[in-house]
Amino acid sequence: MGIALIIGFLALFVLGFPVVYSILIPSIGYVLIEGFPSGLLAQRITYALDSFPLVAVPIFIFVGNLMNLAGVTERIFRFADTLVGRVPGGLAQVNIFSSLIFSGMSGAALADVGGLGRIEIEAMRKRGFSAPFSAAVTASSAVVGPIFPPSIPLIVYGSVTSVSIVQLLIAGIVPALICIALLMVTAALLALRGSMPRAARWPTFWEVVAALLPALPALLAPVLMIAGMMSGLFTPTEAAAVTAGYVLLISGLVYRELTWRHLWNAMMVTIRSTSAILIIVAAASLFGWILAVEQIPQEFAGWILQVSKDPLVLLLIANLIFFAVGMFLDSTTATLLVVPVIAPPMVLAGVDPVHLGIVAIFNLMIGLLTPPMGLSLYLISSIAKVSLRQLLWALIPFYVPLLMTLAIITFASDLVLWLPGMLR
Amino acid sequence: MHLVRRLLEGLCALLLAGIVLVPLLQVILREVFVSPLVGAEEFTRFLLVCLVFMAYPLVVDNGENIVMAELRESLPAQLQRAVITLTLLCTVAASVFIAYATVITIQANLGNTTPTLKIPFWLFLGSTALGFSAACLLHIAHGIKPPAAEIGPNQ
C-alpha cells in the first residue's frame, strides 16, 4: 500500500496536479481504504504547522521581499560594484558577491533571482555582457542563498528531522563561502578568456568608504542575526523577527524609501508565498505519517544498510538520490518527502545529521538549475529574455564550481561542522 | 467577490504583522526588560496556522500553487483538456473532503484548548475548514474561467 501511495503521488505530480493535491489525494484514498477516522487527517494537516521554527519561514520571505521593494538591494549592488568591479569578470564578480550579501538577509534562492537578479542582469547587459552569460552568473550564484543563513530550506529540514536549526544555519556559512570563491574564480577565468569588460581602475579608499556607508546598515543585518544566534541571544525565529524589524527600520528611517504601498506589496507576496510553501508542509506531514505506518523508512533503512555501512559511501548514495530528486521535485516537497526516509539510516550509520542537511539542501538547490523542474531556470530565462537552451549552454561552466563545492562539503565534513562544533 | 478578497487580504496582513511583531516584542521584553511574554510562542504558532490556511484561497485565486506542468503542456490539446478536467474534479473533491473532515473534528473537539493561552482548538481547525472551503469554490470558479498562470514563486 505504501508503494501504491508513492506511485499515486508521482503520477499526479507528473500529470501537473498542484503539489499539495498530488500529496493529499493519495493520502485521502489511503485513509478511506484503511478505515482510519477522517478526523485524523484534519488534525495531522492542521497541527503540522503548529511549530515555532516554521514561524521563521514567513518572516525571512518577508525580509527578502522588503529588501527588493525598499531599495536595499540596489545599495548592496552599488557597494559590491565598487569593491570587486575591477576583478576580472567585472560585473559578473559583482553579481556573485552581491548574492552572498543578499543571501545574508533573505533565505530564498528565487528572491535573489527575482529581486537582485533583475538589477544585475540589466546592469551586465548595459556594460556589454551577453544576456545568457549574465543569466547564468545570476542563476548559479543564487544557489548560495539557501545555504548561507538565513535559509528557508534548512529551517524546513530542521523541522522535519528535529536537528538544531541554529547548528544547521551556522553550518551553511563555510560551504557558502567556498561556493562563492569557486564561482568567482570560474567567472574570472571565463572573463579572461572572453575579454569581458571590467571597471577601468581599482577604487580608491574613499570611493570604497563612500559606497560602503549607504550599504553599511544593510550589511550589518546578517552580522546581527548570526551573532545573535551564535551567542544564544535569539532562537532562529526570533533572529528572523529581529532582522525583519531591523530591515523595516533602516528602509523606513535610514534609506527613507519604504512606502505604505511597498510594505503592503511585500506583505501580500509574503502571505501567498508562505501559504503556497507551508500548505505542502502540512500535506506532507500526513503523507509522512502514512509512510511511517507502512514502515517505508524502516524498509529503506534495512535496504541501504545492506548496501554499505560506511558513512562516506552512504553520503555518496544520498548525493545521487538528492541530486536526482532535485531534478524533478521542488526543494520543499523533496525535503519533506525524501529526507524522513533517507536521514534515519544515514544517521544510524554515523553520518552527522547537520552535515547531511547541508549536503541534501545543496543538492536540491543545484536541482533549481537543472531541467525539468528547475524553477530558477524558468524564472531567470524569463527575466533575461533568453531561451532555456541558451541559458543551459551558458550555465555549463558554472556547474563545475557547484559540483566541486558539493564534493568538498561531502568529503570534508570537518569544514561543514567546524562552526557548529563551536556551539556544541 | 472583490470585497471578500480585500477582507481576506487585510486579515492575512494582520496575521503576518502579528507573526513578525510578537517574537520581536518577546526579544525586547525578555532581553531589555527581563519580563518575557507568557505564551508568546504558542500565540505565534497559532497565528502561523491561521495565516497558512486563511491565505490558501489567495494562492489558488492567483494561480500560485506549485505545479510541474511541463508534461501536461506537451500533451495533445484534447488530452490536455482531459487532464485539466480530471485535476479540477480531484482538487474540488479533495478540498471538500478536507473541509468536511475538519468540521467533523471541530465538533468532536469543541471544549479543547491550548495549554497556556487556552486558545480553542476550533479556531485552528476553523482556519483549515475555511481555507479549503474557499479554495474549493475558487477551483470551481477557475474551472469555469481558468487563471492566466499556475507556477509557484517559492523556493
Side-chain angles (χ1 to χ4, degrees), chain B residues 8-137:
Chain B
L8 193 58
E9 283 177 345
L11 180 63
C12 291
L14 281 176
L15 292 169
L16 179 63
I19 284 172
V20 176
L21 292 176
V22 174
L24 184 61
L25 194 66
Q26 174 73 325
V27 172
I28 295 168
L29 289 177
R30 189 185 60 218
E31 301 301 331
V32 181
F33 299 101
V34 201
S35 169
L37 284 170
V38 177
E41 267 196 26
E42 193 177 287
F43 185 60
T44 320
R45 295 197 315 258
F46 163 68
L47 293 177
L48 180 71
V49 172
C50 291
L51 175 72
V52 171
F53 291 109
M54 301 284 265
Y56 188 56
L58 298 173
V59 175
V60 175
D61 198 30
N62 278 45
E64 288 180 350
N65 260 317
I66 298 174
V67 297
M68 192 182 87
E70 282 74 14
L71 181 81
R72 188 179 71 194
E73 280 164 10
S74 66
L75 294 173
Q78 216 169 5
L79 210 53
Q80 255 188 63
R81 274 197 297 277
V83 172
I84 289 169
T85 310
L86 179 70
T87 308
L88 174 69
L89 292 174
C90 292
T91 49
V92 168
S95 306
V96 168
F97 185 81
I98 292 165
Y100 162 77
T102 316
V103 171
I104 299 286
T105 314
I106 289 173
Q107 286 171 344
N109 289 280
L110 274 176
N112 293 347
T113 58
T114 58
T116 312
L117 298 176
K118 308 289 173 209
I119 302 170
F121 279 1
W122 64 262
L123 275 176
F124 287 83
L125 292 159
S127 65
T128 312
L130 195 80
F132 276 99
S133 306
C136 170
L137 294 175

Side-chain angles (χ1 to χ4, degrees), chain A residues 79-416:
Chain A
F79 168 65
D81 189 13
T82 309
L83 200 66
V84 295
R86 175 63 187 155
V87 178
L91 273 186
Q93 305 289 5
V94 175
N95 187 330
I96 297 166
F97 191 66
S98 305
S99 291
L100 177 68
I101 301 173
F102 185 89
S103 65
M105 297 168 88
S106 165
L110 294 195
D112 180 353
V113 171
L116 190 60
R118 276 176 214 278
I119 301 166
E120 290 166 340
I121 290 170
E122 203 183 311
M124 284 179 77
R125 290 178 77 167
K126 274 185 190 161
R127 286 208 201 159
F129 287 89
S130 76
F133 179 76
S134 313
V137 174
T138 306
S140 54
S141 61
V143 164
V144 172
I147 300 297
F148 197 78
S151 158
I152 292 165
L154 284 175
I155 293 170
V156 174
Y157 175 91
S159 74
V160 168
T161 53
S162 303
V163 173
S164 158
I165 291 174
V166 174
Q167 293 209 3
L168 279 168
L169 293 175
I170 301 299
I173 295 175
V174 174
L177 294 176
I178 293 170
C179 185
I180 286 292
L182 291 175
L183 282 169
M184 287 180 89
V185 170
T186 307
L189 292 175
L190 291 170
L192 288 172
R193 210 181 64 174
S195 306
M196 291 177 192
R198 59 172 160 160
R201 59 176 177 79
W202 287 102
T204 63
F205 174 74
W206 291 112
E207 280 170 341
V208 173
V209 172
L212 173 67
L213 283 179
L216 193 61
L219 296 175
L220 285 177
V223 177
L224 174 79
M225 184 182 55
I226 294 169
M229 285 195 301
M230 284 197 79
S231 64
L233 205 61
F234 324 132
T235 63
T237 304
E238 288 170 348
V242 170
T243 311
Y246 179 75
V247 171
L248 274 170
L249 201 75
I250 60 169
S251 47
L253 297 180
V254 180
Y255 297 148
R256 294 180 179 275
E257 285 191 24
L258 182 68
T259 62
W260 286 108
R261 180 176 287 274
H262 285 149
L263 188 61
W264 178 259
N265 288 342
M267 287 180 97
M268 286 304 109
V269 176
T270 303
I271 284 164
R272 296 199 304 272
S273 298
T274 301
S275 181
I277 295 174
L278 292 187
I279 200 115
I280 297 175
V281 174
S285 156
L286 175 66
F287 196 86
W289 177 80
I290 296 173
L291 292 185
V293 169
E294 289 291 315
Q295 302 214 316
I296 300 286
Q298 289 87 333
E299 282 177 25
F300 179 79
W303 173 78
I304 205 162
L305 292 174
Q306 269 180 348
V307 174
S308 174
K309 285 190 175 71
D310 181 352
L312 209 55
V313 175
L314 292 176
L315 267 174
L316 286 174
I317 295 171
N319 263 315
L320 288 175
I321 294 172
F322 282 115
F323 190 79
V325 164
M327 292 170 76
F328 296 96
L329 297 183
D330 71 283
S331 69
T332 310
T333 315
T335 307
L336 292 164
L337 299 185
V338 181
V339 167
V341 177
I342 289 186
M346 300 275 164
V347 175
L348 206 67
V351 176
D352 189 286
V354 174
H355 183 208
L356 180 66
I358 301 295
V359 170
I361 299 303
F362 196 78
N363 266 297
L364 296 176
M365 289 306 118
I366 296 177
L368 284 177
L369 300 179
T370 51
M373 190 62 184
L375 284 179
S376 249
L377 288 180
Y378 301 123
L379 183 59
I380 208 90
S381 67
S382 101
I383 291 171
K385 296 187 174 55
V386 294
S387 70
L388 206 58
R389 191 187 171 86
Q390 286 175 310
L391 177 57
L392 283 169
W393 269 111
L395 259 173
I396 288 173
F398 291 99
Y399 287 125
V400 176
L402 294 178
L403 292 174
M404 279 172 70
T405 310
L406 182 60
I408 292 171
I409 62 177
T410 303
F411 293 112
S413 62
D414 289 349
L415 267 179
V416 179

